[in-house]
Amino acid sequence: MEHYGSLYLSYAAAVVGWFALSRIFPKLWPKQDLITFPKPWREIGYVLLAGIAVVCIGQLYVRGWRLPNDGPAGPLLESVNQILIFSPMFVLLALRRQPLDTAWIRWDKFGWRIASGLGLALVALLVYSLVRDGADAWWRIVPRVYAYENLPHAVQVFLEDVAIAMLAVRFSAALGVRSTVLLVAALFAAGHIPTMISNGATPSELTSLVGDAFLGVLVIGTAMRSRDIWWIWCVHFAMDMTQFARVSGVGD
């Protein structure tokens, strides 16, 4: 729970920072109309089918059907593994001839968006280092987060965010923004259940998913306003890395 409390404060700092930036630089994230589809529930069904395909490919990965991920090229090859696992999402976009902005991937002002995301991630890491009991100093955590060996984690988090964005865009077309935030946050938390069960999680450990859902509401609610994958990914990746003792120093 201490870890979740620290995450809440860190994500909250990033969210407040984003709202401040969006006021200072309104052209970076202008208000947009909701993306619509002729038959949104059909598009939801397609995304859910793509999600099932992702899970199936992930099971092949667990059973050893993957590129070797050892040696100097290991992080690069493992990144390719992650791309292959999540490839059904991009295949779906291609088959449905839908633009990347239906997954919140926007290329206009890309450099500014990434720079903003990295800045917010650094702020979130600073807050985490200050409030998390036992965490190492910020200047020690930062280079550990952005180490080469963490490249596969960065790729995985980006692809997870793409999947979440695709769900959010299509559910919002059918249900509206508020219902979508609650639903996608719940799905995000529930998506961790198979991995936790396979790792032998106890029922009490599964209660941490409630924390995931609350975090999801905070972050996805803001993401629905920005509709920009880049800053979300930067913050999400940095915060995910704090769960590892080798990064945060907690538990070493």
Side-chain angles (χ1 to χ4, degrees), residues 32-241:
Q32 306 171 71
D33 294 330
L34 284 177
I35 295 173
T36 59
F37 302 91
K39 296 182 179 180
W41 286 107
R42 180 177 64 183
E43 301 302 330
I44 291 169
Y46 287 145
V47 172
L48 293 176
L49 286 175
I52 292 172
V54 169
V55 172
C56 292
I57 297 174
Q59 289 302 306
L60 293 176
Y61 171 90
V62 170
R63 287 165 172 75
W65 291 64
R66 58 178 182 257
L67 296 174
N69 54 10
D70 52 356
L76 287 174
L77 294 174
E78 180 59 19
S79 298
V80 175
N81 283 329
Q82 295 302 317
I83 293 171
L84 292 174
I85 290 172
F86 284 89
S87 61
M89 291 297 174
F90 293 97
V91 171
L92 175 61
L93 289 176
L95 291 176
R96 299 297 298 157
R97 297 182 180 179
Q98 293 169 346
L100 289 175
D101 64 0
T102 65
W104 293 342
I105 300 175
R106 300 164 57 186
W107 295 109
D108 59 303
K109 301 180 179 67
F110 170 77
W112 287 104
R113 296 177 191 278
I114 283 288
S116 299
L118 287 173
L120 293 172
L122 293 176
V123 169
L125 287 171
L126 175 61
V127 172
Y128 186 88
S129 70
L130 293 174
V131 302
R132 179 66 163 100
D133 186 37
D136 283 344
W138 178 80
W139 58 85
R140 295 183 183 274
I141 292 176
V142 169
R144 295 173 187 167
V145 168
Y146 297 105
Y148 167 63
E149 59 264 27
N150 295 332
L151 177 62
H153 295 288
V155 172
Q156 180 184 19
V157 169
F158 175 75
L159 296 170
E160 287 176 355
D161 289 344
V162 167
I164 292 169
M166 291 177 67
L167 279 170
V169 167
R170 286 147 185 82
F171 270 116
S172 63
L175 299 174
V177 173
R178 292 184 180 180
S179 297
T180 297
V181 169
L182 295 174
L183 180 60
V184 175
L187 289 174
F188 171 72
H192 292 89
I193 292 176
T195 300
M196 294 180 71
I197 291 176
S198 66
N199 290 335
T202 63
S204 62
E205 289 173 330
L206 289 173
T207 60
S208 66
L209 295 175
V210 176
D212 281 347
F214 279 116
L215 276 177
V217 169
L218 173 68
V219 178
I220 293 170
T222 309
M224 290 290 293
R225 166 64 179 81
S226 69
R227 299 176 207 173
D228 173 18
I229 200 86
W230 303 115
W231 82 267
I232 300 163
W233 168 49
C234 291
V235 174
H236 186 186
F237 166 65
M239 291 293 93
D240 262 22
M241 293 308 298

Side-chain angles (χ1 to χ4, degrees), residues 13-26:
V15 167
V16 170
W18 179 83
F19 274 104
L21 286 175
S22 68
R23 290 295 184 90
I24 298 170
F25 306 106

